[in-house]
Each structure stands twice: as C-alpha cells, then as structure tokens.
Amino acid sequence: MEEISILLLFDVLVGLTLVWLAWQTLSSLDLFRAIVLFIAFGLLMALAWVRLNAPDVALAEATIGAGLTGALFLSALAQLSASTKRKDEENKIENS
Amino acid sequence: MRKIKLKILEKKPSLFTRLTLGILMFLLAASLAYAVWSLPTQALGLSAEVAKNVEMSGVSNPVTAVLLNYRSYDTLLELGVLLLALFGVWSLGGVSANKSSFVNPILDFLSRFLVPVFILFSGYLLWVGGFAPGGAFQAGAVLAAAGVLLFLNDWQLERKYSGFSLRFVLVLGLVLFVAIGFGFVFLDRVFLEYPPQLAGGLILLIEAAATLSIGISLAALFLGRDPSVKSDSKIDTGVHK
C-alpha cells in the first residue's frame, strides 16, 4: 500500500512538472531557454512513457523527441543568430 | 550566443482577444477532459488479437509486430515522410556552412570514443527490436546522434561519397520496403503481406535498411544542406540584401 502511494505521488509530480515545463517552453521569450526547456520536457515525457508501460515510445521520445529535435533546434538557432548578426552589421554600414 | 527574442510577443494582445482565447481554450480543455473521463476503463482494443497472432508475424515483440507487419503501411509512409522532409530542406538551398576554426578538444576526444559505441548500440537496438523494446526508428536515431557528434567536430563527408552513394543509402530503406511489399503481390499475396515462415528475416532486412536510411536522413537534416553542393559557394536566398 505504502509503495503504491509513493508511485502515485511520483506520477502526479511528473504530470504536473510536464504541464509546467510545457507552459514555460511556450511562454519563454528567450529562444535558447525555450529549446533547453523543450529538451527537458522531452526527457521527462520519456519517463512518463516508461511509467505508462510503453518503453518503445519512451526510447523514441528520448532519442528523436528530446535528442535530435533539440539538436536541430539548437543548430537552427545558431544559424538564425548568425544571420541576424549579419543583417545588423549590414544595417550599421548602410546607416553610417 | 546572442539572445534572440520573439518580438511578436513583446506587445500584449488586447483584453478582448485574451478573454476570447481563454474561453476557447477552456472549452477545448473541458471537452478533452470529458473525452478522457468517458473512456471505458476496460477497453478491449486489439491487443488480444495481436497477442494471438504474434507467432505468425516473425517477431516476438508485439510493438515490432504491429509496426513492421500488421500495420507496416504506416511505417512505410513514415519513411516516405522523412525522405520528403529532407528533400524539402535540400530544396531550400541550405544554410551556409558554419565554419568554426576552433574544435573543442574535449568534444573531439569524446566523440572519437563515443561514435563507435553509438554505432554498436544502434546495431544492438535494431537486433533487439525483434523481441524487446527497440527497432528501426530508435536505432536510426542513435546512428544519427553519432552523425551529429561528427558534424559538431567539423567532420565532412568525403566528396566521392556525397553524390550517388549518399542518395542510395537515403532511399534504400523505402525502396527495399516497397520492393518487398510488391514482390509478394506477384506471389498471390496482398501488398505488404509476408509469408509467415519468411517474415522474421524479411522484417530484420527491412529494419536494417530502414535504420541506415533513417540515421543518415536525420543526420543530413541536422547538417541542413546537400553535402554534394560545394559548401563555400554561398547560396543567396535573396531574403537579405
């Protein structure tokens, strides 16, 4: 009985943290922070899938959802920041 | 890294918009909650059918049996979607190569150690998929992670491999899947139906090809451009002057 209630507490905690992380990810104005939160969300989601007895989905979520999508987002952000930097420099040259 | 902020969100929408959105979201959440609560607690589903016929599928892991045998059409389409996504990225012209002269020595050392382990683990996931959690997509993703590590170290695919060889591996999974699927149509079976005594081997063959294709596709998506196009010839998309 004791063990069940501890597991239930854990599940509720994971569920609530997932909702909170999702909200933080979507409402974050800083894109780098949003990506890091997204990766954290993916890893916790994988844990939730394990708790739901779906280890296959958990594996896919951890590798593709958190790992590769996160890496893709980070590389896109690096490209984005490089291109806005270039644009800013061009604007500065035009203005002077 | 410079901080990039979403400018569009800096201006708060009007009270009316927020109120309307809030009500709509509440209605959506309420109907979702109602749908979840009204689900039958003892759903029959198809799991009994799957368990009954799993011996016919050639694998003992029911998830792999569903993905590669009963519902292999879905997996086939997923491979197609992944390939289309890569074509989409390539057709955008690609981003200019991010030339960083500095290669982190720790990352360099670590990836020399980790990349072979990743490749081995990818093979393990592929093999274990027949009877335990694992399979082509997971194995492909781990393979892609090895590729991402290599790209982070400024590794480049040799030019002689970046043309036909790369494209061959990219389409291999889908082509083999379709070929095997159609192959048995001529032997009086329906599309994507395998004979039970051959199913195990065929599934492993398809999954092996799919793992390669998925891994290379995902790694190529991370690279973001066609490696056979010269990286230093910057393609101007015309978005900025």
Side-chain angles (χ1 to χ4, degrees), chain B residues 74-88 174 221:
Chain B
D74 295 16
T75 312
L76 178 69
L77 290 182
E78 269 174 37
L79 288 178
V81 166
L82 195 60
L83 206 58
L84 278 178
L86 185 64
F87 289 166
L174 192 62
L221 276 175

Side-chain angles (χ1 to χ4, degrees), chain B residues 125-138:
Chain B
L125 275 177
L126 166 68
W127 172 250
V128 85
F131 42 88
F137 262 89
Q138 289 86 340

Side-chain angles (χ1 to χ4, degrees), chain A residues 23-37:
Chain A
W23 177 256
Q24 289 293 312
T25 309
L26 289 175
S27 62
S28 167
L29 288 175
D30 182 2
L31 286 183
F32 181 72
R33 187 167 172 268
I35 294 168
V36 174
L37 283 168

Side-chain angles (χ1 to χ4, degrees), chain B residues 18-36:
Chain B
R18 288 163 67 191
L19 214 63
T20 321
L21 278 177
I23 291 169
L24 285 176
M25 286 298 123
F26 178 76
L27 284 178
L28 181 68
S31 49
L32 278 177
Y34 175 73
V36 170

Side-chain angles (χ1 to χ4, degrees), chain A residues 18-88:
Chain A
L18 272 174
V19 175
W20 182 77
L21 271 176
W23 177 256
Q24 289 293 312
T25 309
L26 289 175
S27 62
S28 167
L29 288 175
D30 182 2
L31 286 183
F32 181 72
R33 187 167 172 268
I35 294 168
V36 174
L37 283 168
F38 175 81
I39 296 171
F41 175 83
L43 289 174
L44 207 66
M45 194 67 223
L47 195 63
W49 284 121
V50 171
R51 286 293 302 141
L52 287 168
N53 274 331
D56 291 82
V57 190
L59 267 174
E61 175 68 42
T63 49
I64 301 177
L68 274 169
T69 318
L72 272 177
F73 276 152
L74 283 176
S75 105
L77 182 69
Q79 296 289 343
L80 205 62
S81 72
S83 82
T84 47
K85 203 184 220 170
R86 207 161 49 226
K87 218 191 281 178
D88 283 356

